[in-house]
Amino acid sequence: MDQNSLPPIQTTARDDAVLKALVGFVGAEALRPGEKLPTERILAERLKVSRNTVREALTRWEGLGLVERRQGSGTYLKAAVSPDMLHMPLTLSGGNDFTSLMQTLEIRRALEAEAAALCAERASPADIAEIERKLDIMEQAFRTRDGMSAEEDWEFHQAIYRVSGNPLFEQIIAAMHELFHRFWEHPLGVRDFGHASFPYHRTIYECIAARDPQGARAEALKLIATVEDDLKRGAAKLKLSSQT
């Protein structure tokens, strides 16, 4: 192989070194998920790098679902980090066409069904109470805002991912946040998109509360099936309008 064709490794090595140093800092400070990180200026001083380098590292962590940046508040740790963790960046199509939406839905089907089943097995009484609280908020928003409950719906599902006991679920979903939110933005022109899935949120919760993993998985699959039906309905409508 021509040596001139090899990509430079200096930037990658520097970025990895900064990420490792950041992991070391989080460990030394005993920061836990939910706690706030120091400002970029302080991190840059402690790690002896530029603020821009710190910003890039935090952007990578944000993309991996490890931190959350809150406007006007700061950066918060969302998941535990360790020196031996692996970074798995995702490159996904962000289109709103039928094929892209169906590909995203296939991932949702696999993740949500398994997370619901694990949640039913592992949830503590306090976890179940929190999921019910999120469900009540979502149902109230749905009824009072004519089905517009995107953020509340997201929080309900996030609670289930969190209680599944596997942090990878929540991190993968966080990395796909924008993709998943397309399902609450009336895709393919379907104004009542997702409304048919509404009752299955309650039945998923009931199975989790009853410690019924198979039932929770089945109800999650029913929910996804209604979303698939809405996608097909929207695609058929668009096709018909294009022919007239």
Side-chain angles (χ1 to χ4, degrees):
M1 178 182 296
D2 182 1
Q3 291 185 351
N4 292 327
S5 68
L6 294 175
I9 64 172
Q10 291 181 346
T11 299
T12 300
R14 182 201 64 187
D15 290 347
D16 288 344
V18 171
L19 289 171
K20 288 179 181 178
L22 194 54
V23 169
F25 175 84
V26 169
E29 296 294 318
L31 294 176
R32 303 185 60 165
E35 295 184 339
K36 185 178 179 179
L37 272 67
T39 64
E40 291 177 0
R41 180 183 61 81
I42 293 175
L43 286 173
E45 291 175 354
R46 294 288 296 274
L47 300 178
K48 294 180 172 45
V49 295
S50 69
R51 291 179 63 176
N52 187 56
T53 298
V54 169
R55 190 176 299 117
E56 291 175 356
L58 291 176
T59 298
R60 286 182 64 183
W61 271 17
E62 185 178 30
L64 294 166
L66 298 177
V67 296
E68 177 184 7
R69 283 167 161 168
R70 301 176 189 172
Q71 187 69 30
S73 178
T75 303
Y76 292 78
L77 193 65
K78 289 187 63 178
V81 295
S82 65
D84 58 350
M85 69 180 185
L86 301 175
H87 301 288
M88 297 188 301
L90 298 175
T91 302
L92 304 163
S93 171
N96 285 316
D97 58 284
F98 176 75
T99 299
S100 296
L101 289 165
M102 280 298 299
Q103 289 174 345
T104 304
L105 188 65
E106 289 168 358
I107 300 301
R108 277 192 64 185
R109 178 182 287 114
L111 293 173
E112 292 192 14
E114 188 60 24
L118 290 173
C119 185
E121 292 178 357
R122 299 171 177 174
S124 69
D127 291 331
I128 293 173
E130 176 63 10
I131 292 171
E132 183 180 26
R133 188 181 73 85
K134 296 289 189 182
L135 174 63
D136 289 341
I137 293 172
M138 188 215 79
E139 290 179 336
Q140 179 69 13
F142 184 92
R143 294 189 177 106
T144 58
R145 300 205 300 259
D146 193 26
M148 301 299 292
S149 57
E151 288 304 320
E152 294 82 4
D153 196 318
W154 173 259
E155 288 296 327
F156 169 76
H157 289 288
Q158 280 284 86
I160 292 176
Y161 288 125
R162 195 171 297 119
V163 176
S164 71
N166 186 334
L168 288 176
F169 275 113
E170 192 176 1
Q171 291 181 42
I172 292 172
I173 292 303
M176 299 179 70
H177 178 274
E178 294 301 324
L179 285 178
F180 277 30
H181 264 58
R182 291 180 302 164
F183 291 106
W184 290 290
E185 297 171 353
H186 308 300
L188 305 181
V190 180
R191 300 305 302 172
D192 62 344
F193 193 98
H195 287 200
S197 72
F198 176 71
Y200 294 107
H201 294 78
R202 173 65 61 175
T203 57
I204 290 171
Y205 161 74
E206 289 172 348
C207 289
I208 290 172
R211 310 290 187 184
D212 179 4
Q214 295 305 319
R217 180 184 284 111
E219 294 305 306
L221 290 173
K222 290 177 185 177
L223 185 154
I224 295 298
T226 67
V227 178
E228 182 174 356
D229 288 342
D230 282 345
L231 283 178
K232 291 179 177 178
R233 179 161 57 95
K237 184 178 179 180
L238 287 175
K239 182 178 180 180
L240 183 62
S241 63
S242 68
Q243 295 174 343
T244 58

